[in-house]
């Protein structure tokens, strides 16, 4: 390893810091895939170096030979040549067989259900955001949120993937491989995170103008934190605590409720993300902006400037109303 060139080592360091990297696995499935990638890189790297060295040697020998007549002539029927050909063919077939078997075994291990009591989560892709629903094991009801996936560490989570419009792809490289979200069917991916922390998920199938801004935050946390978070998500929104928040709630009910749910209020629109606990999330507009009051105000005033093509329409609001709505959303923890 000491002889790995410096620039290659640099790639390694970049990967170590990555919260969106296949080379920094934080879950069983990602670890299997990273090992497969490592094996494939070693085998193809060795073959590549061998081919280049033999090419170099033969060029060097050809230059040394003074004329064509001086070059050794090798016929395929020559026993030495035949042995060499058999050896090389054997090496290539052997290397490819190793890769095929390893790839098959990794694929099978990914498809294996690790636990029958997996936590059940539904993810629905929308242009360009993620609807997330958690099955409450106690009541069997579904708890909805959006754009921020929380999962407990050390436990298998079974994620059912569907789409409301076009094909998307669910990808949290630190935790597992990709799986497509296809309209009209449900795909399933199991993830078993092994390390706590924040990671980044990204839509990995081109799905229109804002495909690049279809991201989500992933928090792997311990079981107690996760339970507390889920219980918080299950609750309805808290009532506005002062006059400005009440004004914001009122404007929201008139201007925003047709598309957004805020549980515990009359707002029940299903076109956009559930905002019951929007202020508990790290980002807005599916990873487009960090969460802040200013970000909310900019997003509400000019969604087409922040995320051109988004289905969120620009809503004309008086400045005091826009401020009140942003403050109200900021209070929805
Ligand atoms: Cu959704 Cu790309």
């Amino acid at each position: 390893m000491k002889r790995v060139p410096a620039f290659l080592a640099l790639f390694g360091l970049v990967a170590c810091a990555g919260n969106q990297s296949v080379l920094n696995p934080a879950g069983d499935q990602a670890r299997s895939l990273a090992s497969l990638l490592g094996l494939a890189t070693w085998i193809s790297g060795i073959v590549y170096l061998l081919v280049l060295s033999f090419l170099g040697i033969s060029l060097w020998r050809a230059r040394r030979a003074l004329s064509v007549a001086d070059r050794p002539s090798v016929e395929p029927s020559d026993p030495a040549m035949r042995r060499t050909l058999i050896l090389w063919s054997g090496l290539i077939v052997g290397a490819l067989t190793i890769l095929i078997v390893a790839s098959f075994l990794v694929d099978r291990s990914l498809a294996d259900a690790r636990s029958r009591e997996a936590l059940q989560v539904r993810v629905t892709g929308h242009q360009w955001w993620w609807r997330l629903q958690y099955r409450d094991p106690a009541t069997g009801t579904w708890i909805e949120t959006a754009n921020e996936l929380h999962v407990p560490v050390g436990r298998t989570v079974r994620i059912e993937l569907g789409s409301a419009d076009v094909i998307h792809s669910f990808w949290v490289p630190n935790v597992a491989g990709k799986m497509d979200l296809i309209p009209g069917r449900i795909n399933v991916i199991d993830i078993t995170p092994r390390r706590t922390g924040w990671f980044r998920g990204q839509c990995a199938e081109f799905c229109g103008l804002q495909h690049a801004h279809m991201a989500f935050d992933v928090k792997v946390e311990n079981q107690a934190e996760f339970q507390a978070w889920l219980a918080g998500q299950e609750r309805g929104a808290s009532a506005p605590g002062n006059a400005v928040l009440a004004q914001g709630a009122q404007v929201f009910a008139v201007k925003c409720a047709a598309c957004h749910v805020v549980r515990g209020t009359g707002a029940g629109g299903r076109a956009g993300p559930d905002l019951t606990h929007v202020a508990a999330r790290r980002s807005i507009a599916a990873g487009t902006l960090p969460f802040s009051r200013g970000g909310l105000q900019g997003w509400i005033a000019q969604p087409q400037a922040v995320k051109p093509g988004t289905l969120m329409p620009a809503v004309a609001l008086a400045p005091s109303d826009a401020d009140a709505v942003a403050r109200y959303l900021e209070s929805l923890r």
Side-chain angles (χ1 to χ4, degrees), residues 201-222:
Q202 167 68 45
C203 180
E205 176 71 40
F206 182 72
C207 54
L209 200 55
Q210 288 298 332
H211 157 68
H213 283 145
M214 187 168 167
F216 55 107
D217 294 303
V218 180
K219 189 179 187 204
V220 180
E221 54 201 359
N222 67 42

Side-chain angles (χ1 to χ4, degrees), residues 125-130 165-169 202-208 210-212 214:
H126 291 256
Q127 287 175 313
W128 291 278
W129 59 280
W130 308 83
D165 36 50
V166 300
I167 300 178
H168 305 273
S169 189
Q202 167 68 45
C203 180
E205 176 71 40
F206 182 72
C207 54
Q210 288 298 332
H211 157 68
M214 187 168 167

Side-chain angles (χ1 to χ4, degrees), residues 181-235:
L181 294 81
I182 297 171
R185 64 165 291 160
I186 299 292
N187 281 342
V188 174
I189 187 169
D190 286 336
I191 63 170
T192 314
R194 292 291 178 194
R195 183 147 50 81
T196 57
W198 282 99
F199 302 100
R200 190 172 183 277
Q202 167 68 45
C203 180
E205 176 71 40
F206 182 72
C207 54
L209 200 55
Q210 288 298 332
H211 157 68
H213 283 145
M214 187 168 167
F216 55 107
D217 294 303
V218 180
K219 189 179 187 204
V220 180
E221 54 201 359
N222 67 42
Q223 184 69 27
E225 279 178 306
F226 174 74
Q227 287 303 343
W229 173 82
L230 193 60
Q233 294 294 312
E234 192 169 17
R235 280 195 288 275

